[in-house]
Every structure is written in C-alpha cells, then in structure tokens.
Amino acid sequence: MLEQPKMLSHVLTGCVFFPGTFYLLVAGVGKLWPWLNKLDLLLLCNKAVSSLQAIISCVVGAFVVVNCYKDILHDRHWLTEAYTCFGVSYFYYDIWSMYLTECARCPELTDNGWLPLKLYLRRKGLMVFHHLTLPVIFFPIIMFFRRGLGDFFVGTLFFIELSTPFVALRAVLLQFHMEDSLVYAINGICAVMAFFLCRIALFPLLYAMYGDKYGLSTLQVPFAIPVKCNVGCAVILIFQLYWFAQMIRVLRSYSPKQNGKHPPPLEKEL
C-alpha cells in the first residue's frame, strides 16, 4: 500500500489536474473558436476531459496488466494504487462539470445562473449517484481491504473506461446536430461494441481467468473468492447492464432521417 503522504499527493494532483484541465480548455477553446455558445463550449470541454481520463485509465491498465499477468493474484505494480488515488477526484470533478453544462443547457430554469439542485438531479441523478457511490465503495477496497492482492484484476477494470471516448463523441455530435452523419452511425456501433467488451464481457472473462489459474470452473469461482469481490463486481455490472440496454435502445431507434425527430440524447443517462 502507498504511504500516506504519497496517497495524499496523488489525490491532490488529481484534484488540481481534472478541474484545471477543464478550465484551461474552456479558456483555450473559447479563444480558438469564439463562435461557440456557452453550452457548446462547456459540453465540448467536459467530454474532452472525460475522454482524456479514459485514455489515461486504459494506458495505466495496460501497464498494470502487462506487468502482473504472470501471477494474476500476487504480482504488484505501483501504478495500481497511484492511479486509484489520482483518478478518484475525477468523479467529483465531473459532477461539478456536468452541473455547469446543465446550467448552460437550461438557462430559463436557472436562478441567477444556477440550476436548482432538484432539477439537476432529475436530469443527471443516476450519473451523480454512480459518481458518488463508486469512489466510496471501491477506493477503500483497492487501497485498504484487498491486502495488496489482485493488481492484475484492478488493472483490467481500468479498461472499463475504453467506451467513454465513443460515448463522449456521440454527445458532441448530437450537440452539433450531426445525427444524420456517417460518423455518428459508425461511432454508435463502436460505442456499443467497446461498452459490451470492456464493461460487461470483461467480468466473466476475469472469473474464467481466475478459475483457469486455480483449477476451477468459471461457475465455481464466485464461491471461491471473497464475498466483497462478488458484491463489487455486481455493483459495477448493474450500472453497466442498465446503460448498455439504453445504448441498444437508442441504436435500434436510430435512423439517418427521422423527419426531424431524433432519439433522446444518451448523454443525459451516461
């Protein structure tokens, strides 16, 4: 486990990095493309930071997996806990960033420029719950309760973010009214594939790898590992199955020309 001063330094670095990057992008993109309205600018920068976080997460995950695959239970890599500390602040930053975007989206509902919390939660309640719940559950598990075991599995979970850039691009394309473009259709298919592979199929794959390592069938693994591991995977998977169903619903309803009517923006839910 990281020493407490290092943990704190990584957490503080994340607290500066994510909002700092967002506000730097807002300032820079605003000057580069001054014709963007406030909503376009904030949404674009929010999705850019989300995509950047996802890329970093996947790169870190790749380093951890490559360095820990020989012994998937006992091998260690310092990036596992370092990135957990660094990345935890992203969830709280994103709640604020999404709030600013929603204030710009619904100016007629704001009070002196601020959207009432009740209305914000009505629009983004599930995502806020997701962002509040995951760090509270998984940060202590990764940092304190797993006793240094399973860096390989934590590294593979970092790949969950692989679908985020595709979902972010979809939100941007919707905002700029590009629903009828080929890019939108291709991106939607890529988003569904990446989401399924890295957020749903990943879990049975991890159970199968653990079983293969210790001579168990995949169905025996849930009964051979700590309950907290099964609960943690179940919590993550419930969110992913819900959002995957929403993605499939939107993809099935998509048609390049719908007489001016388009499916509801998935970014309200993802």
Side-chain angles (χ1 to χ4, degrees):
M1 188 178 73
L2 288 177
E3 297 175 358
Q4 190 170 355
K6 288 186 177 180
M7 287 175 54
L8 184 59
S9 67
H10 291 318
V11 170
L12 291 176
T13 301
C15 289
V16 172
F17 177 79
F18 292 112
T21 302
F22 173 74
Y23 283 110
L24 284 174
L25 283 173
V26 169
V29 175
K31 288 184 178 180
L32 183 64
W33 297 330
W35 58 86
L36 292 176
N37 62 43
K38 186 176 181 180
L39 174 58
D40 291 344
L41 178 62
L42 291 176
L43 185 138
L44 185 62
C45 295
N46 169 270
K47 299 308 178 185
V49 175
S50 295
S51 298
L52 177 61
Q53 184 274 145
I55 291 169
I56 296 173
S57 178
C58 291
V59 170
V60 170
F63 272 102
V64 173
V65 167
V66 167
N67 284 277
C68 298
Y69 77 94
K70 290 183 180 179
D71 188 338
I72 61 175
L73 193 59
H74 297 98
D75 280 352
R76 302 297 310 276
H77 196 283
W78 66 272
L79 275 173
T80 306
E81 294 181 350
Y83 184 73
T84 299
C85 292
F86 173 78
V88 70
S89 60
Y90 165 78
F91 294 93
Y92 302 109
Y93 140 78
D94 198 44
I95 292 174
W96 171 248
S97 179
M98 289 190 301
Y99 176 73
L100 294 179
T101 304
E102 291 304 309
C103 289
R105 190 189 302 277
C106 308
E108 71 284 356
L109 301 177
T110 60
D111 182 11
N112 293 323
W114 301 105
L115 189 69
L117 182 60
K118 185 185 209 178
L119 294 178
Y120 173 56
L121 292 177
R122 188 179 300 167
R123 295 179 62 85
K124 289 285 190 177
L126 183 59
M127 182 61 82
V128 170
F129 178 75
H130 171 273
H131 278 18
L132 290 174
T133 302
L134 258 62
V136 169
I137 295 176
F138 291 101
F139 183 81
I141 289 177
I142 294 173
M143 297 303 300
F144 305 113
F145 297 143
R146 64 188 182 96
R147 302 192 302 266
L149 300 175
D151 277 23
F152 174 86
F153 295 104
V154 177
T156 57
L157 290 178
F158 289 157
F159 283 102
I160 281 179
E161 296 295 335
L162 184 64
S163 63
T164 299
F166 299 106
V167 176
L169 179 57
R170 181 186 186 278
V172 172
L173 292 173
L174 278 170
Q175 183 62 30
F176 288 93
H177 308 292
M178 297 178 65
E179 300 95 327
D180 296 333
S181 67
L182 179 62
V183 173
Y184 180 87
I186 293 174
N187 180 74
I189 295 172
C190 291
V192 170
M193 292 175 60
F195 198 101
F196 176 78
L197 290 174
C198 294
R199 296 196 179 213
I200 296 176
L202 177 67
F203 290 96
L205 176 62
L206 291 179
Y207 276 66
M209 292 179 68
Y210 184 94
D212 183 66
K213 173 71 176 178
Y214 293 101
L216 302 170
S217 71
T218 303
L219 295 178
Q220 290 175 314
V221 172
F223 303 99
I225 62 177
V227 173
K228 61 188 176 185
C229 297
N230 291 316
V231 171
C233 290
V235 170
I236 298 176
L237 191 57
I238 287 171
F239 282 110
Q240 313 316 318
L241 289 172
Y242 170 79
W243 283 320
F244 185 69
Q246 299 303 309
M247 294 177 76
I248 293 297
R249 175 180 61 80
V250 171
L251 189 64
R252 289 180 63 184
S253 66
Y254 171 75
S255 174
K257 293 185 178 181
Q258 305 179 46
N259 299 321
K261 296 182 180 180
H262 300 286
L266 193 61
E267 70 270 16
K268 288 185 180 180
E269 299 163 350
L270 287 177

